[in-house]
Amino acid sequence: MNYDKALDAAIDRLHDEGRYRTFIDIERKKGQFPHAVWNKPDGTTQDITVWCGNDYLGMGQHPVVLAAMHEALEATGAGSGGTRNISGTTVYHKRLEAELADLHGKEAALVFTSAYIANDATLSTLPKLFPGLIIYSDALNHASMIEGVRRNGGAKRIFRHNDVAHLRELLEADDPAAPKLIAFESIYSMDGDFGPIEAICHLASEFGALTYLDEVHAVGMYGPRGGGVAERDGLMHRIDIINGTLGKAFGVMGGYIAASARMCDAVRSYAPGFIFTTSIPPVVAAGAAASVRHLKTDQALRDLHQERAKVLKVRLKMLGLPIVDHGSHIVPVIVGDPVHTKLISDMLLADHGVYVQPINYPTVPRGTERLRFTPSPVHDPKMLDGLVRAMDALWSHCALNRAELAG
């Protein structure tokens, strides 16, 4: 076996299909986000504006967060020193979990190193807790949920995306006595569409199923205290397990579940992904707790976020660009070809200082390749003007289709 040749062939396939991914080396500057510096491969630098980051509210630069992290760093040092079971639980971890439980109206919360690990570890552990468990998973669930369901060794059913009627058919076909769990998302990040939370909760009640809701792209941004779409819709009490992230709207790092004290206790006691992983550093836990606490009262920041997203969508629509608009803060522009998607991304960066990463297969289906913009409260009108002008020019340069506008 020529291992190097096999590796070259695998990488060449990605190049041939136009979906080889490159890292853009960017340097964020404290207090200046979304401005950043691009460190080019040739050793030169260029000022850019980041339009594809997941720091949705700019909390990674917020003084409240930075102050909490400085305090924790001076008090405790860098790392946590171990797993949560072995010297890695500090007062900062407990405060963070208390803030998260309060945010979601649950008895308890459990912090993981990432939301990916939280999904994977929890969903792969649940069949150990509920023998014979059947998991019903939305077809467009995140890779972390898919992996957790796949690895758990239990029964699974995949229902068509947001198709409540199909979910009902699957539930009706299974043993009424079997334990069941429905796993889905509140906002699906590639199209920005919302999951039918209330309808799924009704089905769960009817069939005696647990509900597992991924709120990764909603926590901090939706609901009167940033609890997510379930909070906005008054449905948090009907969700058994809520998954969220600390690395997007909260601007730091980590993931979590919020649920009953009994559920969190069982997951922490049985999930290898929790038991055998070094806990997040106290400095990170302190920053995350400060961010969660702050966003419970900063509705103005959430309102500005939604306003900036709406303005960007309206202006791109006025140019006839094919955007997907489901009413969330996510702004996908469909290019439909991996080569053109990367070309526009490269030209936006090099010629206009606009950084947006191309999204290609397998993240999205072939033929729906896109640029995914994530406007934030710290993207001001001048930045938005520059982005719109650049997209207009490049769409014409690449001779891509535009929608016909009424009037």
Side-chain angles (χ1 to χ4, degrees):
M1 176 69 182
N2 187 325
Y3 296 104
D4 288 339
K5 187 175 181 180
L7 292 173
D8 288 339
I11 296 299
D12 286 344
R13 284 196 298 273
L14 297 178
H15 281 290
D16 293 342
E17 295 175 17
R19 59 187 186 94
Y20 177 77
R21 304 181 186 195
T22 57
F23 289 146
I24 305 299
D25 181 3
I26 65 171
E27 187 175 348
R28 287 166 57 122
K29 299 291 186 181
K30 185 176 75 171
Q32 298 179 28
F33 184 78
H35 292 301
V37 174
W38 173 29
N39 296 309
K40 298 182 180 181
D42 64 5
T44 63
T45 62
Q46 179 180 333
D47 291 334
I48 62 170
T49 303
V50 178
W51 276 97
C52 58
N54 284 336
D55 189 356
Y56 287 134
L57 299 177
M59 291 302 292
Q61 304 284 308
H62 200 285
V64 168
V65 175
L66 300 185
M69 296 184 77
H70 279 295
E71 183 275 331
L73 181 64
E74 292 301 319
T76 69
S80 71
T83 67
R84 287 293 297 275
N85 287 326
I86 306 177
S87 81
T89 295
T90 70
V91 63
Y92 298 97
H93 296 86
K94 301 303 290 184
R95 288 174 186 167
L96 173 56
E97 288 175 340
E99 288 286 354
L100 293 167
D102 172 74
L103 176 67
H104 293 293
K106 300 299 183 187
E107 293 177 340
L110 197 61
V111 170
F112 294 76
T113 51
S114 72
Y116 188 107
I117 298 299
N119 271 334
D120 184 11
T122 303
L123 288 168
S124 63
T125 297
L126 289 175
K128 300 176 187 176
L129 308 175
F130 307 109
L133 179 70
I134 303 171
I135 296 183
Y136 303 80
S137 180
D138 188 287
L140 293 190
N141 275 343
H142 189 266
S144 58
M145 301 173 78
I146 293 171
E147 184 65 12
V149 172
R150 184 190 68 80
R151 287 199 313 109
N152 69 30
K156 65 178 183 293
R157 311 282 186 261
I158 309 302
F159 61 93
R160 291 186 292 270
H161 177 54
N162 281 352
D163 191 334
V164 178
H166 186 220
L167 174 57
R168 172 179 284 279
E169 291 175 12
L170 296 175
L171 288 162
E172 289 176 336
D174 283 319
D175 180 358
K180 302 174 178 66
L181 178 138
I182 305 170
F184 62 112
E185 299 185 37
S186 63
I187 297 179
Y188 292 84
S189 63
M190 287 301 109
D191 282 342
D193 56 328
F194 293 88
I197 301 175
E198 184 171 26
I200 288 178
C201 286
H202 289 331
L203 275 185
S205 296
E206 181 180 345
F207 288 90
L210 296 171
T211 48
Y212 185 105
L213 179 64
D214 181 307
E215 289 260 35
V216 160
H217 291 276
V219 290
M221 296 171 283
Y222 294 82
R225 298 201 312 153
V229 179
E231 185 196 25
R232 183 198 70 180
D233 296 347
L235 295 167
M236 282 198 304
H237 65 288
R238 301 189 65 182
I239 304 297
D240 295 292
I241 305 173
I242 293 175
N243 168 275
T245 184
L246 304 169
K248 291 184 170 60
F250 294 126
V252 193
M253 176 192 173
Y256 64 90
I257 61 168
S260 68
R262 187 178 287 107
M263 181 72 76
C264 288
D265 192 23
V267 170
R268 78 165 187 88
S269 300
Y270 280 86
F274 180 85
I275 296 169
F276 298 106
T277 300
T278 299
S279 64
I280 63 173
V283 63
V284 173
S291 185
V292 173
R293 191 179 310 117
H294 175 85
L295 286 176
K296 288 175 181 177
T297 61
D298 197 343
Q299 186 59 40
L301 195 62
R302 278 188 282 278
D303 291 342
L304 183 57
H305 181 218
Q306 292 295 323
E307 176 190 317
R308 293 278 156 83
K310 288 177 183 176
V311 170
L312 178 59
K313 285 186 279 191
V314 167
R315 294 193 61 179
L316 292 177
K317 286 178 183 178
M318 289 174 64
L319 296 175
L321 301 193
I323 78 166
V324 178
D325 184 5
H326 290 286
S328 73
H329 61 283
I330 293 169
V331 186
V333 180
I334 305 299
V335 181
D337 174 83
V339 175
H340 275 126
T341 305
K342 187 171 190 315
L343 176 64
I344 294 177
S345 173
D346 290 345
M347 294 173 74
L348 280 169
L349 184 63
D351 301 337
H352 300 275
V354 169
Y355 173 41
V356 57
Q357 193 72 6
I359 307 292
N360 294 324
Y361 176 85
T363 306
V364 295
R366 297 182 194 274
T368 69
E369 292 83 3
R370 66 199 61 191
L371 301 172
R372 177 182 172 273
F373 297 96
T374 53
S376 75
V378 292
H379 286 93
D380 62 33
K382 183 178 178 182
M383 297 175 198
L384 194 145
D385 286 342
L387 169 62
V388 171
R389 285 196 298 268
M391 287 291 288
D392 189 21
L394 290 178
W395 218 259
S396 296
H397 176 81
C398 294
L400 297 173
N401 292 330
R402 301 184 191 237
E404 292 188 14
L405 302 180

